[in-house]
Each structure stands twice: as C-alpha cells, then as structure tokens.
Amino acid sequence: MAARAERCYGCAVLWLCRAGLVLISLAFGSFGEMYVAGSLTVAGDAGATAHNTVAHQQLVRLGYAAYTIEGLCDAALTALLYVLLRPAGRELALVALLLRIVSTAAFAAAESFYYAVLPILSGAGYLKAFSPGELNALSCCRSNSTTAPALYRRCFTAWHGLSSAA
C-alpha cells in the first residue's frame, strides 16, 4: 500500500512538472509569436516590416531567446512524456517520444529562420549585390519559411496529443 501511494505521489509530481513546463512554454511561445512577430510585421509591406526589424533588433533577439526557451521546455516535456507513458506500454511511449522529437526538431528548424533575418538586413558589404527591395522581400521570406515547418510541428503535436490521450 505504501509503495502504491509513493508511486502515485511520484506520478503527481511528474504531472505537476509537465504542467509547469507547459505553462512556461506557453508564456514564452506567446511572447515570441504574438507580441514580437505581431509588433514587427506589417501586412503586405515588406519595406515597413524590414524597417521595424532593423529598428527593433533587440526585440527580435528577445523573441528568438523566447523560442529557444520554449524549445528547451519541449525537450524536457518529451522526456517527461516518455516517463509518464512508459507504464502504459513501452511501444506507446516510444511512438509518442518519436513524434515529440520530430515535432521539436521541426520547431527548432523553423525558428532558426526567424533569427536569420538580422544578417540579411545588416547592410554588410556582400549584400550590396541586392537592391533594397530584394533584401526587404528576402527578409519577409522568414515568415513564409517558418510556416511550413510550423505546420508540420502542429500536425505532429496534434498526433502526440491523440496518442498520449489514449
């Protein structure tokens, strides 16, 4: 009886850790996705978006740091998920683990493009081959290039949610 109570307590602690990591991930992800991207992006105007990005480089860096923290929380959640699902079955835990790893890798790949806009708009000498309009359009490609990996991540996250609910 005492061993069962101890196991239930340990499981509750793991669920609390998972809930805390989800909240941290949600807070930092919301900051990066809604506040930073929302305040820098001007719909339909690549030049204004590029100007905002250059004028607020510290905000872009903070957004990338927030995404990094969110990714680290995802990695910790992946480990916790495996530990929590292992008693339900090793195969289920491994499938959920694999889906979470793919999801986190897609997220990391997508968010690396987020930071790539700063070197494009840096004004370095090797960028003189491009016109300002081309550089502005290229910097706006970051939002388009993060869309597909983010969609893949959402698909894997949805599948993970279904598999962990089972």
Side-chain angles (χ1 to χ4, degrees):
M1 185 71 166
R4 180 182 167 108
E6 186 175 313
R7 192 175 81 213
C8 289
Y9 174 76
C11 190
V13 169
L14 287 176
W15 277 107
L16 286 174
C17 288
R18 184 176 185 204
L21 286 171
V22 166
L23 289 176
I24 291 169
S25 181
L26 182 66
F28 281 98
S30 297
F31 172 76
E33 193 67 38
M34 288 191 269
Y35 179 73
V36 175
S39 62
L40 295 177
T41 305
V42 178
D45 192 354
T49 301
H51 174 72
N52 288 345
T53 302
V54 170
H56 299 83
Q57 289 184 23
Q58 191 66 28
L59 186 60
V60 173
R61 288 184 176 96
L62 281 173
Y64 188 70
Y67 282 135
T68 303
I69 292 169
E70 182 184 7
L72 292 172
C73 286
D74 274 355
L77 281 169
T78 300
L80 276 175
L81 178 72
Y82 178 76
V83 170
L84 287 170
L85 288 180
R86 194 174 47 204
R90 186 172 182 260
E91 292 80 17
L92 175 67
L94 287 175
V95 168
L97 178 70
L98 175 67
L99 291 174
R100 284 290 299 196
I101 288 172
V102 170
S103 170
T104 302
F107 172 75
E111 297 315 323
S112 64
F113 289 110
Y114 180 83
Y115 193 70
V117 71
L118 290 180
I120 292 170
L121 296 174
S122 68
Y126 62 87
L127 294 172
K128 300 295 183 211
F130 299 103
S131 71
E134 290 172 331
L135 288 174
N136 292 343
L138 186 60
S139 70
C140 284
C141 283
R142 75 157 167 88
S143 62
N144 292 337
S145 61
T146 60
T147 303
L151 177 62
Y152 296 143
R153 179 175 190 265
R154 287 187 189 103
C155 290
F156 279 106
T157 303
W159 180 257
H160 153 264
L162 291 174
S163 67
S164 64

